[in-house]
């Protein structure tokens, strides 16, 4: 194999609920190859050293969102994180923070799966147009208005990085709010009001104290922190309106 | 299911949550509000491999384009092995399905006037490929997933791995599956089952496919009595990154990229694909079909005109003349992938590429409604073979195929479920058998063979025996090795005794699926003594319409052996002719 430059240590968090009373660590030495990502190293361990190590992965090209883990203290997609950047090591690999650990590096993301539908991440229309009438026109500029927020791959790195979500599991969280904003900003959508009703609640946008960690760790540059700020402004405007106007007039 | 009963009962169970599976689920929910629908997948739906599709989805919408031309391109692209009734129907329904996705929020790239934009694609005579920059599959999948959330009455079984279809007297009645989180083995009853589990690229060592593409639906159907059709046709995509096999989309060539050999020469001109022109010409040169481009690469290797890389011979994809502006607007993901995985910038540097296993033209034999010969069992997407792709699929036909046939299979399954009765008692006994098999034969056994070792040998066997060019002896030798690997598979042990999220157990089950699918590929390949599309036999270099204008169906016999049956290709209006590109 080319470009081999010795080995590097992986310090991997292990936890098997059937047998372990608490999580522990296991050390593996893996070849330090220029092309190898942390995911390649984990697969090397799984295939050649220890088949019992469990982790999720699929596309290995940063688009399916499966392989998020905590690498040296920062949530990252392991398929896009190269061993060489951590030489001489060792590299600490842990399950994503803020989620219950199912097993080894696998976390339970069911909380997000349950929360996502609450922000109604789909096109809402007062009146739906028939497919026979063709497409909704949308200029390239109108597309650009929401494009960035449509890039979310649901990898959960932002939830793992969010100190608010860590303290308050009821917080809707960065990715879900970014996706709500994605539809609000879509010229085809008319559902902003319905989404605001959800996000204006206590566990909606107000939970966020604007730490900005979500945006910093996002591998797709979605900027959930920006989305949350926009929602706070919208929500603030609404509450001012609510003070000044009777409900029916809003 | 220790009580011998079913964990749950549904009218229709969709296996797989990618493009075809989610489209089927939405079609089912729309078909009849009282229908009890569930989606079961070994991954969360948005992890499905549809997410990796880059270039686009074909559908006739542009002015000056015609349905006739899309049909002809697809038929000639298939080397006349596609069924023409299926292709006509597919081409006719594709634009509506793509429009529906537009209404569901898919961020299609646009023209300045707000209409959906289309781009060129390989083997297509007109610009008709809808795209969302170069993340088309990702955007389609997330639009489908998010839209499916509206239907909160659709039950989801995320991260459940199906191990067996329950079939009695030629009818499907449900599945047995492992709930990965807990390791519990569950039986779920359903009047109809739709398979939408994607392809099987992991049969080969070097593939664009994700880790999850292990031919699960194909193997499940095959064992349940549904034949696999046209399995010898494996598509190599001409441009994969050398180490990872990551796909560099055909859109890179559609936007004007060139393929260069080691002398900087656009070598495709030597392979009857047209003459070089500075700007892209439809159905010519770099916009030829994938089978012909991948074959040209092999000839360049033989002539010593490729470059050496640590991962085998390569050629170059040159995008430099497109400039940063076009690349960032149309191919941003290509740039990101090259920078990340090759440490090169396509704006200023050449991209090293080589052909890579990408797509399975074959699959579970279905009719135009996705129905298989097993009553109540449907299939759609890459898992299925209707067939519209024949011997070679055209780029950007697979995403609309997921939509058109996902929807059709969903509607047909809804109709079937409305009249089907409950599962007979024999099925519960089958489920109990399967539970015992998993418990005792896999989880409880101290085996002498390792999953990863057998998988690696299978993959290298397939590359050697059934690559871009094959021969009778290479296929036969491969089949012998696979038979040995099947025997070794029976001695595989799962070292992991843990119940929760046992990925070693999953890998063993996937490998069993891959081995069955691999056997069918070689079995069909041996039988087809001609060269057509992606199946090139150097011992039979010509297409032979007299003998082989026919599909090959591999059936599994009760003793585990296979039997090949022929099924004539449906020809409606387009008589088999020469495939002409670039002239």
């Amino acid at each position: 194999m080319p470009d081999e430059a010795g080995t590097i240590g992986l310090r991997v968090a292990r936890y098997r609920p059937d047998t372990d009373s608490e999580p522990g660590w296991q050390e593996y030495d893996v070849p330090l190859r220029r092309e190898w990502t942390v995911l390649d190293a984990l697969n090397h361990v799984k295939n050649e050293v220890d088949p019992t190590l469990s982790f999720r992965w699929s596309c290995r090209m940063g688009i399916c969102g499966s392989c998020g883990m905590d690498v040296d203290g920062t949530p990252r997609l392991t398929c896009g994180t190269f061993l060489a950047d951590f030489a001489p090591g060792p590299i600490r690999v842990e399950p994503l923070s803020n989620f219950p650990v199912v097993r080894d590096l696998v976390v339970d993301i069911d909380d997000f799966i349950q929360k996502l539908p609450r922000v109604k991440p789909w096109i809402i229309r007062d009146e739906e147009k028939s497919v026979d009438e063709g497409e909704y026109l949308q200029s390239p500029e109108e597309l650009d208005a929401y494009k960035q927020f449509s890039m979310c791959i649901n990898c959960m790195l932002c939830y793992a990085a969010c100190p608010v979500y860590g303290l308050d599991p009821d917080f809707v969280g960065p990715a879900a709010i970014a996706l709500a904003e994605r539809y609000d900003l879509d010229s085809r959508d008319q559902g902003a009001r319905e989404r605001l009703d959800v996000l204006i609640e206590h566990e909606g946008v107000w939970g966020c104290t604007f730490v900005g960690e979500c945006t910093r760790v996002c591998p797709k540059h979605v900027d959930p922190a920006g989305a949350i700020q926009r929602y706070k402004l919208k929500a603030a405007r609404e509450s001012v309106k609510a003070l000044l106007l009777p409900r029916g007039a809003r | 299911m220790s009580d011998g009963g079913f964990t749950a009962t549904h009218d229709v169970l969709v296996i797989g949550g990618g493009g075809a599976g989610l489209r089927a689920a939405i079609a089912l929910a729309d078909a009849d509000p009282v229908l009890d629908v569930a989606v079961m997948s070994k991954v969360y739906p948005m992890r499905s491999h549809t997410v990796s599709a880059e270039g686009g989805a074909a559908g006739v919408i542009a002015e000056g384009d015609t349905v006739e031309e899309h049909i002809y391109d697809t038929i000639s692209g298939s080397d006349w092995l596609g069924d023409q009734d299926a292709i006509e129907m597919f081409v006719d329904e594709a634009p509506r399905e793509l429009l529906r996705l537009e209404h569901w929020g898919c961020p299609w790239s646009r023209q300045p006037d707000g209409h959906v934009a289309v781009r060129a694609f390989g083997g297509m005579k007109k610009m008709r490929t809808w795209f969302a920059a170069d993340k088309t599959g990702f955007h389609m999948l997330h639009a489908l997933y998010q839209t499916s959330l509206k239907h909160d009455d659709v039950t989801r079984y995320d991260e459940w791995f199906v191990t067996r279809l329950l079939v009695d007297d030629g009818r499907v009645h449900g599945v047995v599956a492992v709930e990965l989180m807990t390791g519990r083995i569950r039986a779920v009853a359903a009047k109809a089952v739709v398979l939408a589990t994607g392809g099987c690229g992991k049969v080969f060592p070097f593939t664009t496919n994700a880790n999850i593409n292990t031919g699960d639906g194909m193997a499940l159907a095959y064992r349940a009595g549904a034949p696999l059709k046209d399995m010898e046709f494996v598509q190599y995509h001409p441009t994969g990154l050398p180490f990872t096999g990551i796909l560099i989309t055909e859109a890179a060539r559609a936007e004007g990229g060139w393929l260069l050999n080691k002398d900087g020469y656009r070598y495709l001109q030597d392979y009857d694909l047209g003459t070089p022109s500075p700007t892209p010409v439809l159905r010519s040169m770099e916009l030829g079909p994938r089978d012909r481009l991948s074959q040209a690469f092999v000839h360049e290797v033989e002539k010593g005109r490729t470059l050496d890389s640590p991962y085998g011979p390569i050629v170059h994809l040159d995008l430099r003349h497109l400039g940063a502006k076009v690349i960032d607007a149309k191919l941003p993901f290509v740039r990101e992938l090259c920078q990340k995985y090759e440490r090169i910038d396509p704006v200023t540097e050449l991209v090293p590429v080589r052909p890579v296993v990408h797509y399975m033209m074959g699959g579970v034999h279905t009719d135009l409604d996705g129905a298989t010969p097993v009553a109540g069992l449907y299939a759609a997407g890459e898992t299925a073979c209707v067939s519209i792709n024949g011997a070679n699929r055209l780029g950007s036909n697979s995403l609309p195929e997921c939509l058109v046939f996902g929807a059709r299979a969903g509607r047909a399954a809804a109709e079937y479920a409305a009249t089907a009765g409950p599962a007979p008692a024999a099925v519960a006994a089958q489920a109990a058998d399967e539970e015992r098999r998993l418990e005792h034969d896999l989880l409880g056994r101290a085996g002498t063979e390792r999953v990863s070792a057998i998988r690696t040998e299978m993959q290298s066997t397939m590359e050697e025996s059934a690559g871009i060019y094959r021969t009778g002896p290479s296929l036969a030798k491969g089949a012998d090795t696979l038979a040995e690997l099947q025997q070794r598979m029976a001695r595989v042990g799962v070292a992991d005794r843990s119940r929760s999220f046992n990925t070693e157990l999953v890998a063993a089950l996937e490998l069993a699926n891959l081995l069955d699918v691999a056997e069918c590929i070689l079995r069909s390949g041996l039988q087809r003594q001609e060269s057509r599309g992606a199946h090139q036999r150097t011992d039979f270099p010509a297409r032979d319409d007299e003998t082989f204008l026919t599909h090959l169906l591999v059936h599994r016999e009760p003793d585990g052996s296979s039997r090949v049956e022929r099924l004539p290709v449906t020809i409606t209006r387009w008589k088999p002719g020469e495939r002409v590109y670039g002239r």
Side-chain angles (χ1 to χ4, degrees), chain B residues 81 83 227-230 232 365 523-530 532 544-555 563-569:
Chain B
L81 196 75
D83 287 318
L228 301 185
K229 183 164 73 186
D230 296 343
E232 64 274 39
H365 170 50
R523 187 79 164 83
S524 292
L526 264 171
Q527 196 87 6
R528 184 173 292 278
Q529 297 183 329
E530 66 155 354
R532 184 188 298 271
D544 177 3
D545 287 342
E546 193 102 341
T547 323
F548 285 107
L549 194 60
T550 172
H551 303 290
L552 297 180
L553 273 56
V554 188
H555 293 262
R563 169 175 61 84
V564 180
E565 180 195 13
R566 285 163 178 249
L567 183 72
V569 172

Side-chain angles (χ1 to χ4, degrees), chain A residues 1-3 15-19 33-37 40 45-66 79-82 84-85 102-103 106-110 112-113 116-117 121-123 128-141 143 146-147 150-156 179 182-183 186 188 219-220, chain B residues 43-44 46-49 51-52 54 61 95-97 99-116 130 133 135 138-139 142-143 145-147 149-150 156 158-159 180-181 202 207-213 243-247 310-311 329 333 336-337 340-343 450 452-453 455-456 495-504 507:
Chain A
M1 280 288 170
D3 286 317
Y15 174 62
R16 276 157 292 188
D18 329 37
T19 50
R33 293 186 185 137
R34 183 173 171 272
E35 298 91 335
W36 273 21
T37 61
D40 291 318
V45 170
K46 177 112 188 135
N47 294 331
E48 309 296 333
V49 183
D50 182 354
T52 70
L53 180 65
S54 268
F55 50 94
R56 291 190 183 103
W57 72 286
S58 186
C59 77
R60 57 76 179 89
M61 56 191 279
I63 194 77
C64 80
S66 305
C79 73
T81 303
F82 289 83
D85 294 338
V102 176
R103 156 84 191 266
V106 178
V107 294
D108 182 353
I109 64 163
D110 194 54
F112 168 76
I113 297 295
L116 184 58
W122 51 77
I123 296 282
E128 287 199 26
K129 178 165 146 178
S130 141
V131 170
D132 296 324
E133 295 171 58
E135 76 260 59
Y136 293 106
L137 295 184
Q138 183 167 67
S139 69
E141 295 73 31
L143 171 62
Y146 70 90
K147 200 164 89 182
S150 74
M151 296 297 185
C152 171
I153 61 172
N154 302 177
C155 65
M156 301 293 103
L179 283 165
R182 172 248 176 276
Y183 282 94
D186 191 321
R188 297 167 290 188
K220 298 290 144 184
Chain B
V43 291
Y44 286 97
M46 66 291 203
R47 313 297 188 215
S48 307
H49 187 54
V51 83
S52 295
E54 296 173 21
I61 190 173
R96 272 182 72 85
E97 284 293 330
L99 277 172
R100 208 180 303 278
L101 253 280
E102 195 280 325
H103 286 214
W104 289 345
C106 186
W108 297 116
S109 293
R110 304 284 177 152
Q111 305 171 46
D113 67 0
H115 286 285
V116 167
W130 304 37
K135 287 189 179 175
F138 161 77
H139 285 298
H142 281 255
Y145 173 61
Q146 288 159 13
T147 300
L149 299 177
K150 269 201 293 195
R156 283 233 317 273
D158 295 339
E159 302 197 315
L180 298 184
M181 182 89 82
K202 295 306 267 188
T207 174
T208 61
N209 282 197
N211 182 46
I212 56 175
N213 296 119
F243 166 57
T244 56
I246 286 172
L247 171 72
Y311 304 102
F333 197 33
E336 181 188 327
L337 291 168
K340 181 158 269 177
Y341 294 100
E342 291 291 331
R343 292 185 179 84
R450 287 181 59 159
S452 59
R455 188 175 54 215
T456 303
D496 190 344
R497 294 276 183 261
S498 195
R499 287 278 158 174
S500 64
F501 224 92
N502 189 330
T503 49
E504 195 191 1

Side-chain angles (χ1 to χ4, degrees), chain A residues 60-61, chain B residues 49 199-210 213 231-242 244-248 290 294 297 354-361 382 393 458-470 514 517 521 534:
Chain A
R60 57 76 179 89
M61 56 191 279
Chain B
H49 187 54
C200 58
K202 295 306 267 188
V203 160
F204 288 84
F206 187 63
T207 174
T208 61
N209 282 197
N213 296 119
M231 294 298 284
E232 64 274 39
F233 297 102
V234 178
Q235 178 163 80
Y236 278 76
H237 192 292
T239 58
L241 294 182
T244 56
I246 286 172
L247 171 72
I248 298 301
R290 291 173 179 175
S294 293
F297 173 89
R354 56 177 289 219
V356 53
V357 168
H358 183 55
Y359 184 87
M360 171 47 86
M361 266 72 75
E382 193 173 342
R393 175 177 71 82
M458 170 197 67
Q459 289 170 338
S460 56
T461 300
M462 291 304 285
E463 186 171 53
E464 283 159 27
S465 60
I468 295 173
Y469 285 96
R470 303 109 181 242
L514 286 167
V517 170
I521 293 172

Side-chain angles (χ1 to χ4, degrees), chain B residues 293-434:
Chain B
L293 266 59
S294 293
Q295 289 151 19
F297 173 89
V298 177
H299 296 297
E300 286 295 293
V301 175
E302 284 163 0
K303 291 175 188 166
R305 303 204 299 192
T306 52
L307 292 102
D308 292 325
S309 90
Y311 304 102
I314 55 145
V315 288
H316 280 135
L317 176 66
D318 188 357
L319 305 178
R320 296 171 300 180
H321 53 287
L322 303 183
K325 206 174 151 201
V326 168
I327 291 174
D328 285 342
K330 301 285 187 63
L331 306 165
F333 197 33
V334 165
R335 191 173 187 190
E336 181 188 327
L337 291 168
C338 289
Q339 286 173 325
K340 181 158 269 177
Y341 294 100
E342 291 291 331
R343 292 185 179 84
I344 55 145
D345 185 353
V347 171
T348 54
E349 292 166 281
L350 296 167
V351 183
V353 291
R354 56 177 289 219
V356 53
V357 168
H358 183 55
Y359 184 87
M360 171 47 86
M361 266 72 75
V364 182
H365 170 50
T366 75
D367 67 12
L368 302 190
D369 288 320
T372 75
V374 175
L377 182 64
Y378 298 79
E382 193 173 342
T383 318
C385 180
V386 180
S387 123
I388 64 160
N389 301 310
N392 174 65
R393 175 177 71 82
L394 290 190
S396 77
N397 267 353
S398 70
L399 289 172
E401 178 180 9
C402 287
L403 300 176
V404 168
F405 291 98
R408 290 186 74 90
R411 289 192 293 265
E415 227 167 273
Y416 174 88
T419 59
V427 171
Q430 259 185 48
D433 277 352
E434 176 66 359

